[in-house]
Amino acid sequence: MNGRLPWDVPAADADDGTSKAAGVRRGGHLIAVTLLAAAALDLARCGLVLVTSRHPGPAAGLVAAGLAAAVLSTWAAREYQGGKRWSSWAALLIGAASGPQAAASGFHAPYTIPDTATAVLGVLLAVAVLATAGQDSQTGNHPQTPCATNRRVTR
């Protein structure tokens, strides 16, 4: 083991663009893991709804919304690791919406733990996305444009 973090690229490797870690944004692993945790919490809520609900109509709507949120979070995590620009906006919106989503259910038992975890995770996700915003443009790392090169065209 060399003691470096995955996103720490030595200057010699960063210049040629061939490094495996060159396409990974700073904080990308944290944001991707946080999005996957948000998906897991949405699935946990779906399970709680199925166990505690007495009326099938509203329960079906809540489960459908929870499954859609879990799919969106998982998809955004995958695309964030791939360097898609829209996934940063999706992660920010998921993080910003997590607190109100948790508060809407009122933190009543048995939802207290998943609601609190969702609210905290949403704040962490939003802060992580905002903290890493603009780093790609400052470092010259633009994974969303794979055709861009540093060559000058001379005539």
Side-chain angles (χ1 to χ4, degrees):
M1 203 163 176
N2 60 7
R4 290 185 312 176
L5 296 174
W7 54 83
D8 287 339
V9 181
D13 291 343
D15 290 340
D16 65 359
T18 60
S19 172
K20 181 179 179 183
V24 179
R25 293 186 261 185
R26 288 187 178 173
H29 298 294
L30 173 67
I31 293 171
V33 168
T34 308
L35 283 167
L36 292 175
L41 285 171
D42 287 329
L43 292 177
R45 271 208 196 119
C46 289
L48 286 173
V49 166
L50 290 175
V51 171
T52 61
S53 179
R54 299 174 201 265
H55 305 289
L62 290 173
V63 169
L67 290 174
V71 167
L72 178 64
S73 295
T74 305
W75 187 32
R78 181 174 168 241
E79 296 300 320
Y80 193 88
Q81 286 292 90
K84 304 292 183 188
R85 179 173 284 185
W86 66 264
S87 60
S88 297
W89 287 103
L92 181 63
L93 291 174
I94 290 168
S98 293
Q101 174 193 7
S105 62
F107 295 97
H108 298 294
Y111 297 101
T112 305
I113 292 173
D115 286 345
T116 305
T118 298
V120 170
L121 196 65
V123 170
L124 175 66
L125 180 59
V127 168
V129 170
L130 291 174
T132 60
Q135 286 185 354
D136 291 338
S137 61
Q138 292 173 0
T139 61
N141 183 15
H142 299 285
Q144 70 273 9
T145 56
C147 297
T149 60
N150 291 333
R151 290 185 259 163
R152 287 186 165 168
V153 177
T154 57
R155 293 185 183 198

